[in-house]
Amino acid sequence: MEKMARVTTALGSNTISGCTMFCHLDAPANAISVCRDAAQVVVAGRNIFKIYALEEEQFVEKLNLRVGRKPSLNFSCADVMWHQMDENLLATAATNGAVVTWNLGKPSRNKQDQLFTEHKRTVNKVCFHPTEVHMLLSGSQDGYMKCFDLRRKESVSTFSGQSESVRDVQFSIRDYFTFAASFENGNVQLWDIRRPDRYERMFTAHNGPVFCCDWHPEDRGWLATGGRDKMVKVWDITTNRAKEIHCVQTIASVARVKWRPERKYHLATCSMMVDHNIYVWDVRRPFIPFATFEEHKDVTTGIVWRHLHDPGFLLSGSKDSTLYQHKFKDASRPVDKANPEGLCFGLFGDLAFAAKESLISGGGDSNRKPYGSGGDRRYPIFFFKKPDLTEQFAHESSALSVFETDLESSRMDWFVKTARRYLLSGKPFRELCDHNAKVAKELNRPQVSTTWTMLRIMYSDPGNLATATSISKGGSIPLMNSFNMKEIAAGGLGSESRLDRGKGEIRQDTIHLDPGNSLINNNDENEETEGSEGPADYLFGDAELEDDDLYPMEHENPTAEEAEYSLPQEAFPLRHEIVDNPSVPEHLQDKVDSPHVSGNEAEAVCLTPIKSFSLISISQPLYESHLPASFFSPVVREMLQHYAEAGDVQMAVSVLIVLGDRIRKEVDELTQEHWYTSYIDLLQRFELWNVSNEVIKLSTSSAINCLNQTSTTLHINCSNCKRPMSNKGWICDRCHQCASICAVCHHVVKGLFVWCQGCSHGGHLEHIMNWLKSSSHCPAGCGHLCEYT
């Protein structure tokens, strides 16, 4: 067969030349393989089986191996391999379970040589022995591996992996008799071809199927594996137990892995789905690819380095029906686009910030020299050849700055104390809010304390608020959510109507007016007065005025004349002492003698200055007597979100539990679950197990309520016969002995039971603790040195 290129090998160096190029295929490729002299490549798939020659700037089709009018399934290939000792020998793994060899030296059009049909299911992989010409190994979906001698018409050995399917088989390059096999169950087995009865070693390499493996071309003890868990692992099998020495985390399932020639720490990978790129990794720096080839538009199915001693060219086939030759110098370098800055918080709130030294030193110390600017002075520079920059990672030197926080300011004592002292249930709503507000205030958290107080005011019964709210001697007014406060900017109060808030004594249930004011009459009761057309109507006497009469704001005896007559406004605010009362205006004197005023109303005199303010209107209230809970829901919902976004998830969850159904429907279920989960995690980190369990029980989220119901089953064995206890009593149903006998007092333990996991003896917690104070041996006399945790 004509060769389109020649390879000259001298002193381990190669003279392969070429460029990045591609060609379109007739169908998607499943696998590719290159011949020994790197001049030709074979492409195999379900509907393609061709050989292409590699020229300087293009691929040239040389041979189509799918011949005949109706090609059989033997031409439908899942894998292909070109023998590295015989340039005319090919082997394919067919999807119908057949293993086929091809002799390119045949003069006929059909190059098929031998056909092996011993596998019952699809053959996933075929592999020639690196030095033995006639030895071929196959791995199938039926779980068996078969070794064929091409001089015979049947297999010479069959290896059973005791698994569902074999995904890859590879002969060791350095060890003549050893091959590795990877399986669907995550195991990797090492076999000796002389012993087909049992594997020599097996270890679990991945969580899930292991799709590929590859022996290192230089180090005989290194084996690379790739699996569905998106990891590439490098194993050292020279030790007694396989040891993972490198691990690379990719972003998709690893379908192929190939070590890069002449580069000990480099390997190439491609993915089985999602990711179309080919990555070359340096296993010493596994967090970012060393190089990336991004030419394919669909999943890459096969990769192979062009020559065993040339790291500069990589061939690949894909489901996008293209065949590529990638020149390594044309690969993109992700590290060049990586950001060399980093930011991280420490456990105690310290902040670490790393940035380029050029950025840090540019505005700082001018005497500071960049890292590596003077070179390595330990050796003369002329001893070393200048390295190829394309084969090295870009070295970035960063300066690290650490900003420490004051330990006192970052302490979480308030969180622990709050969690322990908060009351979330068991008392009326008002008492819960008052208690939690008091706790927050004592812990120097005034905003949280005020929030609890506002929640009590908004959601409590207005009629009961008066008993919990008092007016101090200084004259502060209690908050009342049932009143409509209005101000009329018609001028200020005159000097005669100024209020003195610092004088007088006002009780909680009684409003006392100045007894020295002769213009105010004493009345036995307060009633609504008719006959005035002012903007508001009030009448307060010198008698007691009950709070319950104010808050409901309802008219007990509404009359028909109410809309027609009204009294003038009051000249003083509610519950405040009036000082320097003005004289009675003349028009009020006429009002008292008016025939339209009833007898009881005539006994009361209301003082109204000419310029006045309307403070409270209760004749026609704007709101109902008690606002529904839904009225405050938007504000409370925003408040909860504010605390959660600020990091105080403790407050958000506590309010959710205390308010219960008042606010539960206003917050999204997923948001509630996120808050609960975060708070429970914090509680468990601080080992507040009881508080955490209480929060779980009081949770309004169904997904949280079940957290303390998982893993609650304790499986125990009988201390006598060592067999599992199947019943729920204290008697073992096998040996009919009491399983929970205290080794100290020899009585049945019906409460807390502690036992040694070594000898299974134990007893009452208090008895065992007292015993261990004087002896470390088992109290049952078995001689075991018991250890309890």
Side-chain angles (χ1 to χ4, degrees):
M1 180 175 293
E2 183 181 359
K3 303 293 185 296
M4 304 304 298
R6 284 296 177 187
V7 180
T8 302
T9 304
L11 301 177
S13 62
N14 304 290
T15 58
I16 295 179
S17 60
C19 62
T20 298
M21 58 185 183
F22 76 98
C23 70
H24 290 285
L25 305 176
D26 298 335
N30 285 340
I32 63 172
S33 183
V34 68
C35 69
R36 179 179 59 178
D37 60 3
Q40 300 176 77
V41 59
V42 58
V43 181
R46 288 184 177 272
N47 299 306
I48 186 173
F49 191 18
K50 291 184 178 181
I51 295 177
Y52 289 85
L54 297 165
E55 295 188 350
E56 287 291 330
E57 297 182 354
Q58 64 180 350
F59 292 95
V60 178
E61 181 180 334
K62 300 302 297 182
L63 183 63
N64 185 3
L65 295 173
R66 289 178 64 90
V67 295
R69 295 181 179 179
K70 294 182 179 180
S72 66
L73 290 177
N74 296 335
F75 294 98
S76 179
C77 304
D79 188 39
V80 64
M81 187 167 185
W82 205 321
H83 203 301
Q84 297 302 302
M85 298 295 293
D86 186 353
E87 61 183 9
N88 290 325
L89 186 57
L90 293 174
T92 58
T95 56
N96 63 349
V99 176
V100 187
T101 60
W102 309 81
N103 186 0
L104 301 182
K106 277 189 174 184
S108 61
R109 292 184 59 213
N110 190 352
K111 306 295 183 181
Q112 181 175 325
D113 188 16
Q114 295 192 56
L115 176 65
F116 304 97
T117 59
E118 297 185 23
H119 286 294
K120 298 179 181 179
R121 298 180 64 185
T122 299
V123 179
N124 292 320
K125 194 71 177 179
V126 289
C127 179
F128 280 114
H129 196 280
T131 56
E132 184 64 46
V133 178
H134 302 288
M135 188 178 296
L136 175 65
L137 185 66
S138 64
S140 172
Q141 197 75 16
D142 58 12
Y144 291 94
M145 298 152 284
K146 293 183 178 292
C147 184
F148 301 95
D149 188 337
L150 301 184
R151 294 167 294 189
R152 302 181 182 181
K153 295 184 179 181
E154 59 183 11
S155 63
V156 294
S157 300
T158 300
F159 309 87
S160 175
Q162 303 296 326
S163 179
E164 295 180 0
S165 93
V166 183
R167 299 308 298 253
D168 197 358
V169 288
Q170 291 290 336
F171 274 112
S172 174
I173 299 176
R174 301 293 179 183
D175 196 337
Y176 183 90
F177 298 104
T178 303
F179 73 89
S182 60
F183 295 86
E184 286 272 2
N185 58 5
N187 292 336
V188 172
Q189 297 178 2
L190 302 181
W191 290 80
D192 190 320
I193 57 176
R194 298 168 295 183
R195 290 192 57 188
D197 56 332
R198 182 175 174 80
Y199 53 80
E200 283 194 333
R201 183 183 300 182
M202 182 181 71
F203 58 93
T204 301
H206 294 268
N207 294 324
V210 185
F211 293 134
C212 55
C213 62
D214 192 36
W215 291 95
H216 198 284
E218 300 176 6
D219 196 317
R220 63 179 298 173
W222 284 16
L223 177 68
T225 59
R228 194 173 62 184
D229 58 1
K230 307 177 185 178
M231 290 186 181
V232 178
K233 296 183 180 181
V234 180
W235 303 88
D236 184 2
I237 62 171
T238 58
T239 58
N240 294 331
R241 188 175 183 180
K243 179 182 179 182
E244 178 186 325
I245 55 177
H246 297 288
C247 182
V248 177
Q249 178 72 58
T250 66
I251 62 174
S253 301
V254 181
R256 298 283 187 269
V257 57
K258 293 291 181 183
W259 286 102
R260 188 184 178 197
E262 306 293 334
R263 299 293 183 268
K264 181 177 180 180
Y265 298 100
H266 289 190
L267 52 80
T269 65
C270 64
S271 301
M272 181 167 287
M273 56 185 66
V274 180
D275 191 10
H276 307 158
N277 299 335
I278 302 171
Y279 299 102
V280 178
W281 302 87
D282 188 328
V283 294
R284 298 168 298 179
R285 196 173 180 180
F287 305 106
I288 187 169
F290 179 73
T292 305
F293 301 103
E294 304 173 343
E295 285 79 9
H296 286 297
K297 307 302 181 185
D298 203 342
V299 174
T300 304
T301 54
I303 56 175
V304 61
W305 294 97
R306 182 171 171 179
H307 194 269
L308 292 176
H309 300 285
D310 182 28
F313 293 93
L314 178 70
L315 301 174
S316 66
S318 171
K319 286 186 178 180
D320 60 5
S321 301
T322 58
L323 174 65
Y324 264 90
Q325 174 179 270
H326 307 277
K327 189 174 183 180
F328 195 81
K329 290 185 177 181
D330 297 336
S332 62
R333 300 301 181 92
V335 71
D336 295 337
K337 304 175 183 178
N339 190 355
E341 282 75 34
L343 185 70
C344 184
F345 275 102
L347 179 62
F348 298 102
D350 298 339
L351 176 65
F353 174 67
K356 285 185 179 180
E357 278 202 340
S358 58
L359 298 177
I360 302 297
S361 61
D365 188 4
S366 59
N367 297 324
R368 185 177 183 180
K369 296 181 179 180
Y371 174 79
S373 60
D376 193 345
R377 299 301 181 89
R378 293 176 296 177
Y379 306 101
I381 193 168
F382 53 80
F383 280 178
F384 297 94
K385 182 181 178 180
K386 188 176 181 179
D388 186 1
L389 297 180
T390 60
E391 296 296 332
Q392 291 185 344
F393 257 116
H395 292 284
E396 291 288 349
S397 180
S398 300
L400 179 65
S401 302
V402 178
F403 302 91
E404 297 182 351
T405 58
D406 185 10
L407 291 179
E408 294 298 328
S409 62
S410 60
R411 294 178 66 89
M412 294 288 288
D413 292 346
W414 61 268
F415 178 87
V416 177
K417 294 179 180 178
T418 301
R420 289 175 174 171
R421 297 176 58 183
Y422 264 1
L423 290 180
L424 304 179
S425 63
K427 290 187 177 182
F429 174 75
R430 286 177 48 256
E431 295 184 18
L432 293 177
C433 292
D434 288 338
H435 173 82
N436 295 341
K438 182 180 178 181
V439 170
K441 187 175 181 181
E442 292 176 355
L443 295 176
N444 197 23
R445 305 183 68 199
Q447 182 179 4
V448 176
S449 177
T450 304
T451 302
W452 282 111
T453 303
M454 293 300 299
L455 290 173
R456 171 181 60 81
I457 293 172
M458 288 189 292
Y459 287 99
S460 293
D461 184 10
N464 297 330
L465 273 176
T467 61
T469 307
S470 60
I471 303 177
S472 64
K473 190 173 182 179
S476 60
I477 304 177
L479 296 172
M480 294 175 289
N481 66 335
S482 300
F483 286 96
N484 175 30
M485 308 298 293
K486 298 191 298 181
E487 293 186 359
I488 301 177
L493 291 173
S495 59
E496 296 180 350
S497 62
R498 284 185 301 217
L499 304 179
D500 186 2
R501 296 172 181 258
K503 297 181 180 180
E505 181 177 353
I506 305 179
R507 298 187 313 179
Q508 178 180 349
D509 299 329
T510 307
I511 299 179
H512 292 281
L513 301 181
D514 187 1
N517 186 1
S518 60
L519 298 178
I520 300 179
N521 298 328
N522 294 333
N523 299 284
D524 295 335
E525 60 182 6
N526 296 324
E527 299 180 359
E528 296 178 0
T529 307
E530 304 170 352
S532 175
E533 298 180 358
D537 43 17
Y538 293 99
L539 181 62
F540 295 104
D542 197 20
E544 293 183 351
L545 182 63
E546 297 293 336
D547 288 343
D548 293 340
D549 296 332
L550 285 177
Y551 279 97
M553 295 160 48
E554 296 177 356
H555 304 285
E556 297 179 359
N557 298 316
T559 59
E561 296 84 8
E562 185 170 342
E564 183 178 356
Y565 298 98
S566 62
L567 284 177
Q569 301 178 16
E570 286 288 343
F572 50 89
L574 179 64
R575 291 190 172 190
H576 285 73
E577 184 178 5
I578 300 177
V579 182
D580 297 333
N581 297 302
S583 58
V584 183
E586 295 180 359
H587 69 279
L588 283 182
Q589 295 290 348
D590 298 333
K591 281 284 183 179
V592 176
D593 300 331
S594 174
H596 298 285
V597 181
S598 61
N600 292 334
E601 293 172 346
E603 296 176 1
V605 178
C606 179
L607 304 180
T608 305
I610 297 176
K611 295 182 179 180
S612 63
F613 285 87
S614 176
L615 298 177
I616 302 177
S617 175
I618 53 177
S619 181
Q620 295 179 351
L622 294 180
Y623 303 111
E624 297 180 1
S625 59
H626 180 47
L627 293 176
S630 59
F631 180 82
F632 303 103
S633 296
V635 178
V636 176
R637 181 176 64 249
E638 293 179 4
M639 178 268 295
L640 293 176
Q641 294 174 351
H642 166 76
Y643 277 108
E645 292 173 359
D648 190 2
V649 70
Q650 182 183 58
M651 181 64 179
V653 172
S654 300
V655 172
L656 272 179
I657 295 176
V658 172
L659 289 181
D661 294 336
R662 300 179 181 91
I663 194 62
R664 179 167 58 90
K665 296 182 180 179
E666 300 295 329
V667 182
D668 182 64
E669 285 288 339
L670 293 178
T671 303
Q672 293 186 46
E673 183 177 343
H674 176 64
W675 292 350
Y676 276 111
T677 304
S678 302
Y679 185 41
I680 292 171
D681 180 61
L682 287 174
L683 292 174
Q684 293 177 352
R685 290 191 182 192
F686 284 99
E687 299 182 359
L688 299 172
W689 313 113
N690 292 337
V691 181
S692 173
N693 188 56
E694 181 185 6
V695 171
I696 292 175
K697 290 194 298 183
L698 298 176
S699 168
T700 57
S701 175
S702 57
I704 302 298
N705 286 331
C706 62
L707 290 181
N708 58 0
Q709 302 299 321
T710 58
S711 301
T712 57
T713 302
L714 181 63
H715 299 279
I716 61 174
N717 292 346
C718 176
S719 59
N720 297 314
C721 63
K722 312 298 182 182
R723 296 181 179 179
M725 296 280 291
S726 58
N727 56 5
K728 298 181 181 180
W730 297 298
I731 304 297
C732 177
D733 56 355
R734 290 183 173 87
C735 64
H736 304 289
Q737 298 291 329
C738 289
S740 55
I741 296 292
C742 179
V744 179
C745 67
H746 304 289
H747 287 85
V748 177
V749 181
K750 298 183 179 180
L752 291 176
F753 183 85
V754 60
W755 73 94
C756 173
Q757 297 183 11
C759 65
S760 300
H761 296 128
H764 294 94
L765 176 61
E766 184 178 358
H767 294 172
I768 297 297
M769 291 176 62
N770 294 333
W771 174 270
L772 292 177
K773 291 179 181 179
S774 58
S775 176
S776 59
H777 288 80
C778 179
C782 67
H784 184 260
L785 293 175
C786 296
E787 295 182 1
Y788 299 92
T789 57

